[in-house]
Amino acid sequence: MVDLVLSDIIQQLNHKGNIRSQVDRQSITDSPFVYYSTLNQLSLDSISVIIGSIDSQDLRNEMLGLSALLQVKEEAGKTRGALNGAFAGKQSSLDTYANINNYLSTESLAIRQANSVLSSHFVDLLASVTRSNTWKQVSDIQLTYLSQKDNLSSLNGPNASDWFSIATQRIGLIKGITDNISQVLNTKANENMAQAKFNRLIYIAIAVLLILPIAMISFFTSRSIGQRMTSFSQRINEISATKNLTLTLEDNNENEFDHIAKNINSLIESISLPLRTAHTVASQTQHELSQLSELLKKAKLSSQRTFTHCDTIATAMTEMAQTSSEIAGVTNSAHETTTEAANNATKCQSHTINTTKIVNDLHHSIVNTHEHVEHLEQQT
């Protein structure tokens, strides 16, 4: 922004040599009065723009005072030129009179503004200048001109050269104050710049001292969080891969991650509890099925043994039937033998002893068979 407003002033200053050359050659094509008025107005506008960007209240007030005094100097220059022409021709017009009156009014307001914003030192300096003989002489000449509104065609006043000289001296007094203020402002501006640089270094140091620990804390915190999250992820992947719900997350009860770990462990416990219960029930069922299988094996073995006993009984019954058949045959044979013996008693007497012996043997066989049958019945 400053470069923008200064560029117009620099562009105007580039024509200064041409204006001076025209004055020196007394071949004026561009009015020096208009040129310097334009240049001064651009300077005043630029100062107003720059003042708006000043933060220091004291420095802003001094700049406002400087701008007001430059306005006084500008109006004094306009008045000097206008009265110089009037006094040189010993006459003036109503337009010139109105312009000079306006210049003086603007000058008076600018002096009032300068007294209201400048520091006491410069106010006193301005007051001493306005009380000087040169200032009073210029003011008297200006008032004399203003008092001749009805006699502008035949003015009374000093020679143009005398007026121009004393007006220039008065402008020099104003310039002395503005130069003094500019020097003080430059000094303050440099001090403020140095202080601003020092403050900036302090702010940078404070920022480094504050941000560096915060950055380190943030780094280590982020690293700790990353490690903890990695640990969580690895343990959860291990639980997922092994299906082992007895594994838990590390819980030191120190921070929010431990609180999260505790909640996850509670969730794992809630999931594993019914699974452990189901596993216990399955184990008991398997044990009971194993016992049932053993009982079935024993029952099968008992059935096999019973079948074997039944088969033995059947065999015994078959043998007993065979023995009974033999007994029946022997009985029939004995009956026949007895009949034959009766019929052939005489013939068989010799064989009686043998027959008796056979009968006795048969009797013993029957007894043995009967005992064997009883024994089989007891086994059955």
Side-chain angles (χ1 to χ4, degrees), residues 85-97:
F87 291 144
K90 297 299 180 177
Q91 62 179 358
S92 181
S93 65
L94 287 175
D95 290 338
T96 302
Y97 180 89

Side-chain angles (χ1 to χ4, degrees), residues 166-181:
I166 192 172
T168 302
Q169 293 178 14
R170 177 175 177 265
I171 292 174
L173 293 176
I174 300 173
K175 183 178 182 299
I177 300 176
T178 57
D179 290 344
N180 195 351
I181 294 175

Side-chain angles (χ1 to χ4, degrees), residues 154-201:
S154 179
L155 289 177
N156 292 320
N159 294 328
S161 60
D162 294 337
W163 158 251
F164 193 87
S165 175
I166 192 172
T168 302
Q169 293 178 14
R170 177 175 177 265
I171 292 174
L173 293 176
I174 300 173
K175 183 178 182 299
I177 300 176
T178 57
D179 290 344
N180 195 351
I181 294 175
S182 298
Q183 184 178 0
V184 171
L185 289 177
N186 286 330
T187 303
K188 287 186 177 181
N190 291 330
E191 291 176 354
N192 289 340
M193 290 179 61
Q195 184 64 36
K197 291 181 180 178
F198 179 73
N199 291 338
R200 183 175 62 181
L201 293 176

Side-chain angles (χ1 to χ4, degrees), residues 58-259:
D58 294 337
L59 191 59
R60 186 186 299 115
N61 289 337
E62 298 291 2
M63 284 293 294
L64 287 172
L66 176 61
S67 176
L69 290 178
L70 290 176
Q71 185 68 49
V72 172
K73 181 173 175 288
E74 170 66 11
E75 300 305 319
K78 292 178 180 179
T79 303
R80 180 185 63 179
L83 286 178
N84 187 67
F87 291 144
K90 297 299 180 177
Q91 62 179 358
S92 181
S93 65
L94 287 175
D95 290 338
T96 302
Y97 180 89
N99 289 334
I100 292 174
N101 190 32
N102 183 52
Y103 299 154
L104 295 176
S105 297
T106 303
E107 178 184 323
S108 177
L109 292 174
I111 292 175
R112 179 178 178 277
Q113 181 184 7
N115 284 322
S116 64
V117 295
L118 286 174
S119 61
S120 58
H121 170 70
F122 293 117
V123 170
D124 294 340
L125 184 59
L126 179 58
S128 65
V129 168
T130 57
R131 290 193 299 265
S132 66
N133 292 329
T134 301
W135 193 284
K136 289 180 179 181
Q137 290 177 11
V138 171
S139 297
D140 291 341
I141 294 172
Q142 291 170 347
L143 291 175
T144 300
Y145 171 81
L146 293 177
S147 66
Q148 300 179 64
K149 181 177 181 181
D150 297 331
N151 191 29
L152 295 178
S153 60
S154 179
L155 289 177
N156 292 320
N159 294 328
S161 60
D162 294 337
W163 158 251
F164 193 87
S165 175
I166 192 172
T168 302
Q169 293 178 14
R170 177 175 177 265
I171 292 174
L173 293 176
I174 300 173
K175 183 178 182 299
I177 300 176
T178 57
D179 290 344
N180 195 351
I181 294 175
S182 298
Q183 184 178 0
V184 171
L185 289 177
N186 286 330
T187 303
K188 287 186 177 181
N190 291 330
E191 291 176 354
N192 289 340
M193 290 179 61
Q195 184 64 36
K197 291 181 180 178
F198 179 73
N199 291 338
R200 183 175 62 181
L201 293 176
I202 292 177
Y203 293 150
I204 293 174
I206 293 174
V208 170
L209 292 176
L210 291 177
I211 294 175
L212 184 60
I214 293 174
M216 293 181 64
I217 293 173
S218 300
F219 171 75
F220 288 112
T221 301
S222 300
R223 183 179 179 183
S224 176
I225 292 173
Q227 291 176 347
R228 196 64 186 274
M229 295 303 296
T230 301
S231 176
F232 279 6
S233 178
Q234 291 176 349
R235 180 51 63 92
I236 292 174
N237 290 334
E238 183 180 359
I239 294 172
S240 176
T242 61
K243 306 297 188 296
N244 185 2
L245 296 179
T246 60
L247 299 177
T248 58
L249 302 180
E250 183 181 358
D251 178 14
N252 297 323
N253 198 23
E254 294 179 353
N255 48 43
E256 292 297 325
F257 286 100
D258 293 326
H259 182 67

Side-chain angles (χ1 to χ4, degrees), residues 316-335:
M317 291 299 292
T318 301
E319 291 178 355
M320 184 179 67
Q322 292 176 355
T323 304
S324 297
S325 297
E326 292 177 358
I327 292 171
V330 172
T331 303
N332 291 330
S333 179
H335 179 69

